[in-house]
Amino acid sequence: MSVQQLTILGATGSIGLSTLDVVRRHSDRYQVFALSAASQWQKLADLCIEFQPTYAVIADPQYLPMLEQALAAHATQVLTGVDGLQQVAAHKDVDTVMAAIVGAAGLLPTLAAAEAGKKVLLANKEALVMAGHLFMQAVHDNGATLLPIDSEHNAIFQCLPAGYTHAAAAGVSKILLTASGGPFRTLALDAFAGVTPDQACAHPNWRMGRKISVDSASMMNKGLELIEACWLFNLTPAQVDVVIHPQSVIHSMVQYVDGSVLAQLGNPDMRTPIAHALAWPERIASGVAPLDIIATARLDFEAPDLARFPCLRLAFEAAGNGCASTVLNAANEVAVEAFLAGKLGFDRIAVLNEHAMQQLVDTTPSSLDQVLRIDREARRIAHQWLDHGRLRGDL
Ligand code: NAD
Ligand code: MG
């Protein structure tokens, strides 16, 4: 067994740190080649001192001098900017890239890894929602291996046959994408306007970064995951059912034409899908406690309520619909940032997203430049709506 050289994009985040926790248990299998962060140079420096990577990338250049100084006595070379991220994602010595940057910022480095034919462990769902067609093409054209980290998609991957290409050929009739329902699963519709950022980030089953926590609370996360599933597994939105399952023990299911339903179960801990993808097709210990099925006792299921969670409806409309998912992703990033900054009501996130989708009608983007242009335009429209809303005083 040769040692895998690993780049972790977004090493200081929730997924990045869980990845390093798994790697720490298997130093015979994985060597950290590069670690990256947006601005948290101190946290990145501490990780570099522990893991001694060849490169460290601080995306925001204003923190470069601090990181350089912190690592002056170490062999780790320090890079910055999107160029630096792309360089460590595509470097010839790298085998595996964990794509765990949050949001559209992850697209270019993750794409660089795919274009270099790497084994890409994809947590950064926004990259796929934004540019699914181009990303999947890059994976295909360059012989990259794409392994999903999102727990639902990792579960689906595990429940599909090896060598899967499309649903019909594999006898798959439906994908059942499970959702916890988030912290507001039972909240009355008229209470959504008063939700605070801390309430939205208090997820009942998972500890995650703030952006995905807000997305889980609005169920935009499940919407992004629907679009992600369509790209990863070559599906139409009609082939995916979202099922609310509050315990988050079943991570998703695959229904076959013969009536069989395969599910993947486990404790809600991202180290399971991370360890699965790192070792695939082998298995390694992840540090996750074994599932106690007796203590779990019951598994509940219900249908999602699209009236209380309009972001999920928007995602069903956007999936496979030209540039709509690029627009939805960009508008949602602006909306979540505004909500977290206390500048937008929680119930207005969907209103802003829908506004951007209605403004921007375009054909399926066929080049990276087009995707980036649509992303910029959607953000401009979203910011304009926020500015006007502030004037109207109705945010
Ligand atoms: P996080 O906010 O905890 O971490 C994000 C990481 O990205 C940090 O290291 C940060 O420094 C880096 N980053 C942020 N903006 C950047 C920029 N502009 N340029 C370069 N780097 C930047 O987020 P997270 O919860 O770890 O989520 C990461 C990704 O994984 C997201 O796409 C999320 O949807 C996905 N995901 C997360 C979980 C989870 O349990 N946390 C589960 C499934 C999928
Ligand atoms: Mg998920």
Side-chain angles (χ1 to χ4, degrees), residues 358-372:
Q358 283 165 351
Q359 296 299 303
L360 269 179
V361 189
D362 215 319
T363 49
T364 305
S366 57
S367 70
L368 185 59
D369 280 350
Q370 252 180 315
V371 168
L372 298 176

Side-chain angles (χ1 to χ4, degrees), residues 14-31:
S14 163
I15 293 289
L17 293 175
S18 291
T19 305
L20 287 168
D21 186 84
V22 176
V23 165
R24 218 178 254 124
R25 295 161 197 273
H26 301 281
S27 53
D28 55 328
R29 297 181 75 118
Y30 308 103
Q31 201 166 347

Side-chain angles (χ1 to χ4, degrees), residues 10 12-15 38 59 100-102 105 123-126 150 208-209 270:
T12 53
S14 163
I15 293 289
I101 291 174
V102 60
N124 179 210
K125 66 192 85 183
E126 295 93 343
D150 219 338
M208 310 180 286
M270 290 306 293

Side-chain angles (χ1 to χ4, degrees), residues 107-108 130 367-377:
L107 176 63
L108 294 177
M130 185 181 174
S367 70
L368 185 59
D369 280 350
Q370 252 180 315
V371 168
L372 298 176
R373 182 181 60 74
I374 293 164
D375 177 81
R376 274 195 305 274
E377 185 59 11

Side-chain angles (χ1 to χ4, degrees), residues 53-378:
T54 307
Y55 290 101
V57 188
I58 188 84
D60 186 335
Q62 66 172 302
Y63 302 104
L64 180 64
M66 287 82 141
L67 185 64
E68 276 175 336
Q69 196 178 7
L71 295 176
H74 297 268
T76 300
Q77 296 173 54
V78 178
L79 305 173
T80 188
V82 179
D83 282 357
L85 295 171
Q86 286 174 310
Q87 207 177 314
V88 296
H91 196 285
K92 64 172 180 29
D93 294 345
V94 170
D95 303 301
T96 303
V97 175
M98 167 56 80
I101 291 174
V102 60
L107 176 63
L108 294 177
T110 308
L111 199 55
E115 283 168 349
K118 304 300 184 193
K119 178 170 157 184
V120 181
L121 277 40
L122 186 75
N124 179 210
K125 66 192 85 183
E126 295 93 343
L128 211 50
V129 172
M130 185 181 174
H133 177 68
L134 294 175
F135 189 81
M136 296 309 290
Q137 193 74 45
V139 168
H140 182 259
D141 290 352
N142 298 287
T145 304
L146 185 58
L147 296 167
I149 293 298
D150 219 338
S151 57
E152 296 77 2
H153 306 75
N154 184 270
I156 295 164
F157 181 88
Q158 293 196 47
C159 295
L160 288 172
Y164 170 90
T165 53
H166 62 279
V172 170
S173 54
K174 277 266 175 183
I175 297 293
L176 307 180
L177 187 70
T178 54
S180 69
F184 308 138
R185 182 172 59 86
T186 57
L187 193 73
L189 184 57
D190 60 5
F192 276 79
V195 159
T196 66
D198 282 348
Q199 288 170 330
C201 289
H203 196 280
N205 305 340
W206 302 91
R207 298 275 81 79
M208 310 180 286
R210 282 172 82 77
K211 197 263 176 179
I212 185 178
S213 296
V214 175
D215 284 346
S216 297
S218 68
M219 289 202 72
M220 186 73 250
N221 183 51
K222 210 49 55 183
L224 300 176
E225 290 185 359
L226 160 76
I227 299 168
E228 181 186 14
C230 289
W231 286 117
L232 284 174
F233 306 117
N234 205 0
L235 302 165
T236 64
Q239 290 173 301
V240 184
D241 281 352
V242 172
V243 179
I244 306 288
H245 164 48
Q247 291 91 354
S248 297
V249 166
I250 292 183
H251 299 306
S252 278
M253 297 173 257
V254 176
Q255 193 159 46
Y256 286 88
V257 289
D258 62 2
S260 299
V261 178
L262 301 194
Q264 186 260 359
L265 285 71
N267 286 321
D269 187 321
M270 290 306 293
R271 291 176 299 174
T272 293
I274 290 168
H276 169 268
L278 274 171
W280 181 84
E282 295 170 21
R283 297 269 178 176
I284 55 171
S286 64
V288 176
L291 177 66
D292 184 340
I293 201 82
I294 305 288
T296 303
R298 55 180 287 177
L299 302 172
D300 294 303
F301 305 98
E302 60 193 58
D305 179 352
L306 297 186
R308 284 164 64 251
F309 295 100
C311 284
L312 184 55
R313 170 179 58 80
L314 293 178
F316 269 102
E317 287 169 21
N321 184 8
C323 71
S325 56
T326 312
V327 174
L328 179 59
N329 180 66
N332 184 60
E333 286 192 24
V334 174
V336 171
E337 207 180 288
F339 167 69
L340 284 172
K343 294 177 180 161
L344 181 72
F346 185 78
D347 61 328
R348 309 259 93 192
I349 293 174
V351 178
L352 171 48
N353 290 346
E354 186 152 26
H355 169 75
M357 277 171 66
Q358 283 165 351
Q359 296 299 303
L360 269 179
V361 189
D362 215 319
T363 49
T364 305
S366 57
S367 70
L368 185 59
D369 280 350
Q370 252 180 315
V371 168
L372 298 176
R373 182 181 60 74
I374 293 164
D375 177 81
R376 274 195 305 274
E377 185 59 11

